[in-house]
Amino acid sequence: MKFFIDSAEIEDIREAKSLGIADGVTTNPSLMAKSGRELKDVVSAISREIDGPVFSEVISGDETGILQEGYQMAKWSDQVVIKIPATLAGIKAAHKLEADGIPTGITLIFSPMQALLAAKAGVSYIIPFVGRLDDISSDGMEMVEQVIAIMDNYPDLTCKVLAASVRTPVHILQSALIGVDIVTAPLSVYKQLAAHPLTDAGIHKFLQDWQKVKK
Ligand code: G3P
């Protein structure tokens, strides 16, 4: 299972590298706006930091605009993956970009049928969102489980399933149990994976026992 970092902050990616978990980086327009930097500068800087894919999301909604942005972004780095929302225009544009050798990821997927349509278009990644479905009292992981079940039924569908809007360690656990290829999450979520009270208690007990012997 690959861990991608959902961030436009270089420091997050450097710390993820120090943990050996920077398999790739996803960004989105909100993260880019938060960074306060130019999209091209951020994507180029991230591409220098890691070897894996760097996802850069288009902002256009029409096929022509998406294609223009996609061809332009692809020039920035050979690691760039063009992230495109799950609309008919987006899927058409992704199909063409893929035919021209430019990898794409269809994002903002909230249903298994959006995922299937994108997968059949030959995209490299399908990106179902978990947390935003949970936010409206739907079961995000159930949707991802259905996507995995569909993909497993049809081996000719070769795209990678990249679970996004991953907000908790349980989302990562569930993704791993159902066989998601990749999760993308903020660094803070990955850092939570190390935490366990019994580990802390065990360290404390070992130190206490050691102190007794050392005196
Ligand atoms: O970047 C795509 C996705 O990971 C966004 O997550 O938490 O804003 O729904 P979130």
PDB file of all heavy atoms in Angstrom, residues 14-15 48 57 66 76 80 104 110-112 116 123-124 138 155-156 158 166 199 202-203 208 212 214:
ATOM      1  N   ARG A  14       9.074  16.936   3.389  1.00  0.00           N
ATOM      2  CA  ARG A  14      10.402  16.591   3.916  1.00  0.00           C
ATOM      3  C   ARG A  14      10.285  15.713   5.164  1.00  0.00           C
ATOM      4  O   ARG A  14      11.012  14.717   5.301  1.00  0.00           O
ATOM      5  CB  ARG A  14      11.197  17.855   4.234  1.00  0.00           C
ATOM      6  CG  ARG A  14      11.704  18.538   2.975  1.00  0.00           C
ATOM      7  CD  ARG A  14      12.497  19.778   3.238  1.00  0.00           C
ATOM      8  NE  ARG A  14      12.989  20.352   1.974  1.00  0.00           N
ATOM      9  CZ  ARG A  14      13.186  21.652   1.772  1.00  0.00           C
ATOM     10  NH1 ARG A  14      12.963  22.523   2.783  1.00  0.00           N
ATOM     11  NH2 ARG A  14      13.605  22.101   0.608  1.00  0.00           N
ATOM     12  N   GLU A  15       9.321  16.035   6.055  1.00  0.00           N
ATOM     13  CA  GLU A  15       9.171  15.205   7.259  1.00  0.00           C
ATOM     14  C   GLU A  15       8.648  13.813   6.882  1.00  0.00           C
ATOM     15  O   GLU A  15       9.086  12.802   7.423  1.00  0.00           O
ATOM     16  CB  GLU A  15       8.241  15.869   8.269  1.00  0.00           C
ATOM     17  CG  GLU A  15       8.166  15.068   9.577  1.00  0.00           C
ATOM     18  CD  GLU A  15       7.402  15.749  10.702  1.00  0.00           C
ATOM     19  OE1 GLU A  15       6.896  16.888  10.511  1.00  0.00           O
ATOM     20  OE2 GLU A  15       7.351  15.141  11.788  1.00  0.00           O
ATOM     21  N   ARG A  48      11.187  18.063  -6.973  1.00  0.00           N
ATOM     22  CA  ARG A  48      12.614  17.975  -6.611  1.00  0.00           C
ATOM     23  C   ARG A  48      12.819  17.226  -5.290  1.00  0.00           C
ATOM     24  O   ARG A  48      13.885  16.686  -5.032  1.00  0.00           O
ATOM     25  CB  ARG A  48      13.232  19.378  -6.507  1.00  0.00           C
ATOM     26  CG  ARG A  48      13.390  20.091  -7.839  1.00  0.00           C
ATOM     27  CD  ARG A  48      14.271  21.331  -7.718  1.00  0.00           C
ATOM     28  NE  ARG A  48      13.636  22.363  -6.887  1.00  0.00           N
ATOM     29  CZ  ARG A  48      12.808  23.301  -7.379  1.00  0.00           C
ATOM     30  NH1 ARG A  48      12.465  23.278  -8.662  1.00  0.00           N
ATOM     31  NH2 ARG A  48      12.277  24.226  -6.584  1.00  0.00           N
ATOM     32  N   GLU A  57      -3.926  19.672  -9.740  1.00  0.00           N
ATOM     33  CA  GLU A  57      -5.340  19.675 -10.156  1.00  0.00           C
ATOM     34  C   GLU A  57      -5.683  20.866 -11.038  1.00  0.00           C
ATOM     35  O   GLU A  57      -5.274  21.998 -10.761  1.00  0.00           O
ATOM     36  CB  GLU A  57      -6.245  19.663  -8.916  1.00  0.00           C
ATOM     37  CG  GLU A  57      -7.720  19.491  -9.232  1.00  0.00           C
ATOM     38  CD  GLU A  57      -8.534  19.002  -8.057  1.00  0.00           C
ATOM     39  OE1 GLU A  57      -7.946  18.555  -7.045  1.00  0.00           O
ATOM     40  OE2 GLU A  57      -9.784  19.087  -8.133  1.00  0.00           O
ATOM     41  N   ILE A  66      -9.537  22.193 -19.630  1.00  0.00           N
ATOM     42  CA  ILE A  66      -8.837  21.133 -18.886  1.00  0.00           C
ATOM     43  C   ILE A  66      -7.628  20.650 -19.686  1.00  0.00           C
ATOM     44  O   ILE A  66      -6.530  20.500 -19.156  1.00  0.00           O
ATOM     45  CB  ILE A  66      -9.790  19.971 -18.577  1.00  0.00           C
ATOM     46  CG1 ILE A  66     -10.879  20.403 -17.597  1.00  0.00           C
ATOM     47  CG2 ILE A  66      -9.017  18.762 -18.019  1.00  0.00           C
ATOM     48  CD1 ILE A  66     -12.026  19.412 -17.455  1.00  0.00           C
ATOM     49  N   TRP A  76       5.863  20.677 -16.618  1.00  0.00           N
ATOM     50  CA  TRP A  76       6.590  21.124 -15.408  1.00  0.00           C
ATOM     51  C   TRP A  76       7.509  20.043 -14.855  1.00  0.00           C
ATOM     52  O   TRP A  76       8.533  20.326 -14.246  1.00  0.00           O
ATOM     53  CB  TRP A  76       5.596  21.536 -14.320  1.00  0.00           C
ATOM     54  CG  TRP A  76       4.728  22.719 -14.693  1.00  0.00           C
ATOM     55  CD1 TRP A  76       4.920  23.578 -15.733  1.00  0.00           C
ATOM     56  CD2 TRP A  76       3.536  23.122 -14.038  1.00  0.00           C
ATOM     57  NE1 TRP A  76       3.915  24.521 -15.763  1.00  0.00           N
ATOM     58  CE2 TRP A  76       3.058  24.271 -14.721  1.00  0.00           C
ATOM     59  CE3 TRP A  76       2.831  22.650 -12.924  1.00  0.00           C
ATOM     60  CZ2 TRP A  76       1.899  24.937 -14.327  1.00  0.00           C
ATOM     61  CZ3 TRP A  76       1.684  23.332 -12.527  1.00  0.00           C
ATOM     62  CH2 TRP A  76       1.221  24.443 -13.220  1.00  0.00           C
ATOM     63  N   VAL A  80       4.524  14.686 -12.894  1.00  0.00           N
ATOM     64  CA  VAL A  80       3.189  15.277 -12.724  1.00  0.00           C
ATOM     65  C   VAL A  80       2.076  14.323 -13.167  1.00  0.00           C
ATOM     66  O   VAL A  80       2.178  13.666 -14.217  1.00  0.00           O
ATOM     67  CB  VAL A  80       3.081  16.598 -13.527  1.00  0.00           C
ATOM     68  CG1 VAL A  80       1.635  17.050 -13.655  1.00  0.00           C
ATOM     69  CG2 VAL A  80       3.881  17.697 -12.820  1.00  0.00           C
ATOM     70  N   THR A 104      -3.276  10.696 -15.661  1.00  0.00           N
ATOM     71  CA  THR A 104      -4.325  11.510 -15.033  1.00  0.00           C
ATOM     72  C   THR A 104      -4.938  10.770 -13.853  1.00  0.00           C
ATOM     73  O   THR A 104      -4.871   9.536 -13.765  1.00  0.00           O
ATOM     74  CB  THR A 104      -5.453  11.816 -16.048  1.00  0.00           C
ATOM     75  OG1 THR A 104      -6.084  10.582 -16.413  1.00  0.00           O
ATOM     76  CG2 THR A 104      -4.916  12.528 -17.274  1.00  0.00           C
ATOM     77  N   PHE A 110     -17.451  10.260  -5.719  1.00  0.00           N
ATOM     78  CA  PHE A 110     -18.292   9.967  -4.547  1.00  0.00           C
ATOM     79  C   PHE A 110     -19.235   8.799  -4.777  1.00  0.00           C
ATOM     80  O   PHE A 110     -20.075   8.493  -3.916  1.00  0.00           O
ATOM     81  CB  PHE A 110     -19.078  11.224  -4.140  1.00  0.00           C
ATOM     82  CG  PHE A 110     -18.192  12.350  -3.665  1.00  0.00           C
ATOM     83  CD1 PHE A 110     -17.851  13.404  -4.507  1.00  0.00           C
ATOM     84  CD2 PHE A 110     -17.670  12.319  -2.383  1.00  0.00           C
ATOM     85  CE1 PHE A 110     -17.011  14.422  -4.075  1.00  0.00           C
ATOM     86  CE2 PHE A 110     -16.824  13.336  -1.933  1.00  0.00           C
ATOM     87  CZ  PHE A 110     -16.495  14.379  -2.784  1.00  0.00           C
ATOM     88  N   SER A 111     -19.097   8.128  -5.941  1.00  0.00           N
ATOM     89  CA  SER A 111     -19.942   6.951  -6.176  1.00  0.00           C
ATOM     90  C   SER A 111     -19.163   5.910  -6.971  1.00  0.00           C
ATOM     91  O   SER A 111     -18.264   6.259  -7.752  1.00  0.00           O
ATOM     92  CB  SER A 111     -21.197   7.336  -6.975  1.00  0.00           C
ATOM     93  OG  SER A 111     -20.872   7.488  -8.352  1.00  0.00           O
ATOM     94  N   PRO A 112     -19.513   4.628  -6.794  1.00  0.00           N
ATOM     95  CA  PRO A 112     -18.820   3.569  -7.533  1.00  0.00           C
ATOM     96  C   PRO A 112     -18.995   3.708  -9.046  1.00  0.00           C
ATOM     97  O   PRO A 112     -18.110   3.342  -9.813  1.00  0.00           O
ATOM     98  CB  PRO A 112     -19.469   2.291  -7.023  1.00  0.00           C
ATOM     99  CG  PRO A 112     -20.127   2.638  -5.748  1.00  0.00           C
ATOM    100  CD  PRO A 112     -20.502   4.074  -5.830  1.00  0.00           C
ATOM    101  N   LEU A 116     -16.269   3.705 -11.931  1.00  0.00           N
ATOM    102  CA  LEU A 116     -16.255   2.758 -13.054  1.00  0.00           C
ATOM    103  C   LEU A 116     -16.148   3.490 -14.389  1.00  0.00           C
ATOM    104  O   LEU A 116     -15.365   3.099 -15.264  1.00  0.00           O
ATOM    105  CB  LEU A 116     -17.518   1.893 -13.014  1.00  0.00           C
ATOM    106  CG  LEU A 116     -17.656   0.848 -14.139  1.00  0.00           C
ATOM    107  CD1 LEU A 116     -16.462  -0.095 -14.190  1.00  0.00           C
ATOM    108  CD2 LEU A 116     -18.968   0.080 -13.952  1.00  0.00           C
ATOM    109  N   VAL A 123      -8.061   5.958 -17.332  1.00  0.00           N
ATOM    110  CA  VAL A 123      -7.234   6.866 -16.530  1.00  0.00           C
ATOM    111  C   VAL A 123      -6.261   6.061 -15.661  1.00  0.00           C
ATOM    112  O   VAL A 123      -6.477   4.875 -15.405  1.00  0.00           O
ATOM    113  CB  VAL A 123      -8.119   7.771 -15.649  1.00  0.00           C
ATOM    114  CG1 VAL A 123      -9.056   8.608 -16.522  1.00  0.00           C
ATOM    115  CG2 VAL A 123      -8.903   6.968 -14.621  1.00  0.00           C
ATOM    116  N   SER A 124      -5.214   6.704 -15.184  1.00  0.00           N
ATOM    117  CA  SER A 124      -4.197   6.006 -14.382  1.00  0.00           C
ATOM    118  C   SER A 124      -4.619   5.839 -12.933  1.00  0.00           C
ATOM    119  O   SER A 124      -4.262   4.845 -12.283  1.00  0.00           O
ATOM    120  CB  SER A 124      -2.877   6.790 -14.440  1.00  0.00           C
ATOM    121  OG  SER A 124      -2.416   6.893 -15.789  1.00  0.00           O
ATOM    122  N   SER A 138     -23.028   9.732   5.166  1.00  0.00           N
ATOM    123  CA  SER A 138     -22.923   8.541   4.299  1.00  0.00           C
ATOM    124  C   SER A 138     -21.694   7.757   4.742  1.00  0.00           C
ATOM    125  O   SER A 138     -20.909   8.220   5.566  1.00  0.00           O
ATOM    126  CB  SER A 138     -22.761   8.964   2.835  1.00  0.00           C
ATOM    127  OG  SER A 138     -23.948   9.553   2.370  1.00  0.00           O
ATOM    128  N   PRO A 155     -10.332  -7.509 -14.226  1.00  0.00           N
ATOM    129  CA  PRO A 155      -8.868  -7.314 -14.271  1.00  0.00           C
ATOM    130  C   PRO A 155      -8.409  -6.403 -15.417  1.00  0.00           C
ATOM    131  O   PRO A 155      -7.312  -5.847 -15.355  1.00  0.00           O
ATOM    132  CB  PRO A 155      -8.324  -8.734 -14.467  1.00  0.00           C
ATOM    133  CG  PRO A 155      -9.404  -9.651 -13.977  1.00  0.00           C
ATOM    134  CD  PRO A 155     -10.699  -8.952 -14.278  1.00  0.00           C
ATOM    135  N   ASP A 156      -9.250  -6.232 -16.428  1.00  0.00           N
ATOM    136  CA  ASP A 156      -8.836  -5.350 -17.539  1.00  0.00           C
ATOM    137  C   ASP A 156      -8.885  -3.873 -17.125  1.00  0.00           C
ATOM    138  O   ASP A 156      -8.331  -3.016 -17.810  1.00  0.00           O
ATOM    139  CB  ASP A 156      -9.726  -5.583 -18.766  1.00  0.00           C
ATOM    140  CG  ASP A 156     -11.193  -5.308 -18.464  1.00  0.00           C
ATOM    141  OD1 ASP A 156     -11.695  -5.853 -17.463  1.00  0.00           O
ATOM    142  OD2 ASP A 156     -11.824  -4.524 -19.194  1.00  0.00           O
ATOM    143  N   THR A 158      -7.248  -1.388 -15.178  1.00  0.00           N
ATOM    144  CA  THR A 158      -5.901  -1.438 -14.574  1.00  0.00           C
ATOM    145  C   THR A 158      -5.551  -0.193 -13.764  1.00  0.00           C
ATOM    146  O   THR A 158      -4.429  -0.077 -13.266  1.00  0.00           O
ATOM    147  CB  THR A 158      -4.844  -1.597 -15.693  1.00  0.00           C
ATOM    148  OG1 THR A 158      -5.010  -0.493 -16.602  1.00  0.00           O
ATOM    149  CG2 THR A 158      -5.012  -2.911 -16.435  1.00  0.00           C
ATOM    150  N   VAL A 166      -8.955  11.200   3.369  1.00  0.00           N
ATOM    151  CA  VAL A 166      -8.684  10.237   4.447  1.00  0.00           C
ATOM    152  C   VAL A 166      -8.327  11.057   5.680  1.00  0.00           C
ATOM    153  O   VAL A 166      -7.361  11.816   5.659  1.00  0.00           O
ATOM    154  CB  VAL A 166      -7.547   9.285   4.027  1.00  0.00           C
ATOM    155  CG1 VAL A 166      -7.011   8.510   5.223  1.00  0.00           C
ATOM    156  CG2 VAL A 166      -8.022   8.330   2.933  1.00  0.00           C
ATOM    157  N   THR A 199       2.209   1.373  24.312  1.00  0.00           N
ATOM    158  CA  THR A 199       3.626   1.571  23.976  1.00  0.00           C
ATOM    159  C   THR A 199       4.236   2.567  24.961  1.00  0.00           C
ATOM    160  O   THR A 199       5.313   2.329  25.531  1.00  0.00           O
ATOM    161  CB  THR A 199       3.760   2.105  22.539  1.00  0.00           C
ATOM    162  OG1 THR A 199       3.128   1.184  21.652  1.00  0.00           O
ATOM    163  CG2 THR A 199       5.216   2.279  22.146  1.00  0.00           C
ATOM    164  N   GLY A 202       4.576   0.942  28.290  1.00  0.00           N
ATOM    165  CA  GLY A 202       5.670  -0.043  28.292  1.00  0.00           C
ATOM    166  C   GLY A 202       7.026   0.620  28.420  1.00  0.00           C
ATOM    167  O   GLY A 202       7.878   0.175  29.188  1.00  0.00           O
ATOM    168  N   ILE A 203       7.209   1.737  27.697  1.00  0.00           N
ATOM    169  CA  ILE A 203       8.465   2.487  27.793  1.00  0.00           C
ATOM    170  C   ILE A 203       8.654   2.995  29.221  1.00  0.00           C
ATOM    171  O   ILE A 203       9.734   2.859  29.815  1.00  0.00           O
ATOM    172  CB  ILE A 203       8.462   3.659  26.791  1.00  0.00           C
ATOM    173  CG1 ILE A 203       8.489   3.142  25.359  1.00  0.00           C
ATOM    174  CG2 ILE A 203       9.621   4.609  27.054  1.00  0.00           C
ATOM    175  CD1 ILE A 203       8.181   4.201  24.318  1.00  0.00           C
ATOM    176  N   GLN A 208      11.360   2.647  34.468  1.00  0.00           N
ATOM    177  CA  GLN A 208      11.226   2.508  35.938  1.00  0.00           C
ATOM    178  C   GLN A 208      12.050   1.316  36.423  1.00  0.00           C
ATOM    179  O   GLN A 208      12.849   1.418  37.357  1.00  0.00           O
ATOM    180  CB  GLN A 208       9.752   2.277  36.301  1.00  0.00           C
ATOM    181  CG  GLN A 208       8.944   3.528  36.542  1.00  0.00           C
ATOM    182  CD  GLN A 208       7.543   3.151  37.059  1.00  0.00           C
ATOM    183  OE1 GLN A 208       6.983   2.113  36.676  1.00  0.00           O
ATOM    184  NE2 GLN A 208       6.994   3.993  37.918  1.00  0.00           N
ATOM    185  N   LYS A 212      15.655   1.104  38.781  1.00  0.00           N
ATOM    186  CA  LYS A 212      15.840   0.343  40.034  1.00  0.00           C
ATOM    187  C   LYS A 212      17.190  -0.379  40.007  1.00  0.00           C
ATOM    188  O   LYS A 212      17.954  -0.357  40.968  1.00  0.00           O
ATOM    189  CB  LYS A 212      14.715  -0.690  40.189  1.00  0.00           C
ATOM    190  CG  LYS A 212      13.366  -0.109  40.542  1.00  0.00           C
ATOM    191  CD  LYS A 212      12.312  -1.217  40.550  1.00  0.00           C
ATOM    192  CE  LYS A 212      10.896  -0.642  40.460  1.00  0.00           C
ATOM    193  NZ  LYS A 212       9.934  -1.691  40.028  1.00  0.00           N
ATOM    194  N   LYS A 214      19.806   0.283  38.035  1.00  0.00           N
ATOM    195  CA  LYS A 214      20.982   1.160  37.840  1.00  0.00           C
ATOM    196  C   LYS A 214      21.499   1.700  39.161  1.00  0.00           C
ATOM    197  O   LYS A 214      22.647   1.954  39.376  1.00  0.00           O
ATOM    198  CB  LYS A 214      20.607   2.331  36.919  1.00  0.00           C
ATOM    199  CG  LYS A 214      20.899   2.069  35.457  1.00  0.00           C
ATOM    200  CD  LYS A 214      20.655   3.297  34.601  1.00  0.00           C
ATOM    201  CE  LYS A 214      21.602   4.439  34.942  1.00  0.00           C
ATOM    202  NZ  LYS A 214      21.333   5.622  34.076  1.00  0.00           N
TER     203      LYS A 214
END
